[in-house]
Amino acid sequence: MLAEIRGRSQITIPAEIIKKMGISEGDKFDIVEKDGGIFLCPVVVYPKDKLVKIAKLIKETENDMTRQKAYENVGDMFADMGIDIDNV
């Protein structure tokens, strides 16, 4: 497919590609020039405060994982919870 540079350096992406990629108005792209080509890479931009919250949740999860006990088998896990699976 061919596209043409218009005024203000704009290019129209063909409708077939827009539909196939699920692109809609307002979507953002990283534009990369490499080896003589121009590449558009769809991106999602999150506000910084949301990323800080996500980073905090990841760190808390990592900390929780290091405190979790590993069990050799299900019976040991239930016994640690006070459940006798042999008498259920």
Side-chain angles (χ1 to χ4, degrees):
M1 289 179 223
L2 290 177
E4 180 178 317
I5 291 278
R6 304 279 179 181
R8 296 180 16 195
S9 302
Q10 295 178 337
I11 296 176
T12 299
I13 301 172
E16 178 182 317
I17 293 173
I18 295 293
K19 289 177 187 170
K20 182 177 180 181
M21 298 289 297
I23 298 168
S24 58
E25 186 174 340
D27 286 357
K28 303 203 180 317
F29 295 84
D30 185 25
I31 302 171
V32 179
E33 179 276 321
K34 184 174 181 178
D35 299 328
I38 300 170
F39 301 90
L40 301 175
C41 304
V43 296
V44 176
V45 179
Y46 291 99
K48 185 176 180 179
D49 64 320
K50 301 294 183 200
L51 291 176
V52 169
K53 287 180 182 178
I54 291 169
K56 183 178 176 184
L57 286 171
I58 290 170
K59 186 67 173 171
E60 289 171 359
T61 301
E62 288 173 346
N63 290 338
D64 287 345
M65 289 177 64
T66 59
R67 291 192 300 260
Q68 289 180 354
K69 183 176 179 181
Y71 295 94
E72 294 294 323
N73 59 61
V74 175
D76 290 346
M77 180 182 72
F78 280 110
D80 198 33
M81 295 186 305
I83 302 170
D84 184 2
I85 61 171
D86 294 328
N87 294 322
V88 176

